[in-house]
Amino acid sequence: MSETVQFFIKETIAKQENIQHLGTLDLELMACSLLGVERSKLLTSPIALNQDSKDEFWSMIRRRMDGEPLAYILGKKGFWNLDLEVNNQVLVPRPETEILIEDILLNFNQTNLSVLDLGTGSGAIGLSLKKEKKEWDVYCSDISINALEVANKNSLKNNLEVNFICCDWLNAFKPNSFDLLISNPPYIKTNDIRLKSDGLSHEPLEALVSGTTGKEHLFVIATSSKRFLKKGGFLYLEHSPCQAKDLKLFLKKLNFKNISEIFDLNGDKRSIKAQLF
Ligand code: GLN
């Protein structure tokens, strides 16, 4: 009988115990994606692995060992209520960002809200909000046309009608347009050592890095958002926990009110919201 994929996984793990990027779950998910089967099937019935699939499996394993995020290898990542297609043109959507979605859904029940996801990448924020709130008018913008291509695929795949705009931050919009302006912009310092680490080193730099302080884009967006939010509208920004204090002060100086922090699952200040009066 030919080798089974289950045997291959077991053997690979046994042989490569010391390779930190490779866990059984990673291998199982790669196998499911490669063979087009559900994980439950993989766990319950033996599946043959032919030589071509084995070669393909090895190439996936090598990519992972090279530090490439699993999401790029599988070509997808679960975020909130969506299974999003991703590739190396967009940031891998992260659970930290789901906290933003949760806060928005808890606090905004109105119909007819006009919402902008600024720097949408894969479309994670805008599309998951649209899926929850079909009556909202959702705009997703990005400076990268390649990112918008991914976001557009995700909108079509999930049957979600949003408006895509290719522009540099807010330069394409009319003043006083939005009730909610949400962004997970780049916020890492140019010389941050983490940029060379597992995962991040494979993601698009322009989606991660924001000048020598990491705060440049956050400050630019906060400043210009005042023109584009409607009175009473809210700005939501994701940031690094170490930027929380400076960003809060900056928003105060800009005269935003009702400023509050949103904590991520690690208990870190990961996002901030503020209202325009
Ligand atoms: N959340 C990412 C990280 O710190 C950074 C994403 C971003 O810059 N928006 O790993």
Side-chain angles (χ1 to χ4, degrees):
M1 184 179 147
S2 61
E3 185 179 346
T4 65
V5 69
Q6 288 87 351
F7 178 78
F8 177 84
I9 290 174
K10 235 184 180 170
E11 222 191 8
T12 307
I13 290 289
K15 275 197 251 155
Q16 324 238 351
E17 255 167 13
N18 299 324
I19 297 175
Q20 66 179 58
H21 298 311
L22 273 176
T24 308
L25 181 62
D26 281 12
L27 289 177
E28 286 174 1
L29 294 174
M30 286 180 201
C32 292
S33 157
L34 178 68
L35 304 169
V37 297
E38 296 285 327
R39 192 154 163 263
S40 54
K41 171 124 193 267
L42 192 74
L43 298 177
T44 50
S45 31
I47 302 169
L49 188 69
N50 64 28
Q51 191 56 45
D52 282 355
S53 299
K54 197 165 163 178
D55 293 346
E56 180 70 14
F57 206 160
W58 270 118
S59 97
M60 293 168 104
I61 290 170
R62 275 192 290 273
R63 286 169 67 189
R64 186 69 196 104
M65 278 166 41
D66 187 37
E68 191 170 340
L70 184 65
Y72 290 163
I73 299 169
L74 304 179
K76 62 180 186 176
K77 173 80 184 176
F79 180 88
W80 196 253
N81 51 10
L82 295 172
D83 204 16
L84 294 169
E85 237 179 71
V86 293
N87 61 29
N88 65 3
Q89 299 300 309
V90 298
L91 213 64
V92 176
R94 293 171 168 58
E96 290 92 295
T97 311
E98 289 175 320
I99 307 296
L100 262 169
I101 306 290
E102 190 178 19
D103 191 274
I104 291 167
L105 293 173
L106 272 174
N107 288 290
F108 297 91
N109 241 333
Q110 305 91 313
T111 47
N112 301 326
L113 284 190
S114 170
V115 179
L116 172 61
D117 172 10
L118 193 64
T120 192
S122 62
I125 295 175
L127 294 175
S128 38
L129 288 174
K130 183 69 182 180
K131 174 131 191 207
E132 295 275 1
K133 299 281 185 188
K134 292 279 161 37
E135 63 286 9
W136 289 3
D137 198 12
V138 176
Y139 295 77
C140 297
S141 76
D142 209 290
I143 195 167
S144 157
I145 193 76
N146 294 334
L148 285 175
E149 217 170 274
V150 175
N152 186 42
K153 270 195 199 157
N154 283 322
S155 80
L156 296 172
K157 196 174 110 187
N158 292 285
N159 245 325
L160 298 168
E161 243 182 75
V162 299
N163 310 282
F164 290 110
I165 302 104
C166 189
C167 61
D168 188 4
W169 296 133
L170 285 148
N171 74 1
F173 300 99
K174 279 200 231 134
N176 301 314
S177 293
F178 302 105
D179 300 291
L180 291 177
L181 200 162
I182 310 148
S183 188
N184 173 18
Y187 55 71
I188 297 179
K189 291 181 193 173
T190 321
N191 61 359
D192 194 316
I193 187 87
R194 290 189 312 128
L195 291 168
K196 301 211 166 30
S197 68
D198 185 16
L200 288 187
S201 62
H202 290 261
E203 292 183 283
L205 262 190
E206 65 173 342
L208 292 169
V209 171
S210 180
T212 51
T213 69
K215 289 178 286 206
E216 275 90 334
H217 289 303
L218 286 162
F219 285 1
V220 164
I221 295 169
T223 306
S224 46
S225 69
K226 289 186 71 177
R227 275 188 70 212
F228 297 92
L229 276 168
K230 295 180 192 167
K231 282 241 155 59
F234 271 83
L235 170 67
Y236 276 80
L237 290 174
E238 181 175 317
H239 57 78
S240 150
C242 66
Q243 296 161 338
K245 206 168 134 208
D246 286 358
L247 190 55
K248 191 169 188 176
L249 263 177
F250 192 76
L251 289 166
K252 267 190 189 153
K253 273 200 204 129
L254 288 174
N255 267 325
F256 276 95
K257 306 283 184 242
N258 294 326
I259 303 172
S260 58
E261 299 286 359
I262 304 167
F263 293 80
D264 65 20
L265 295 170
N266 291 324
D268 292 322
K269 291 176 178 171
R270 179 62 67 175
S271 297
I272 196 159
K273 60 177 167 177
Q275 189 174 23
L276 184 74
F277 266 81

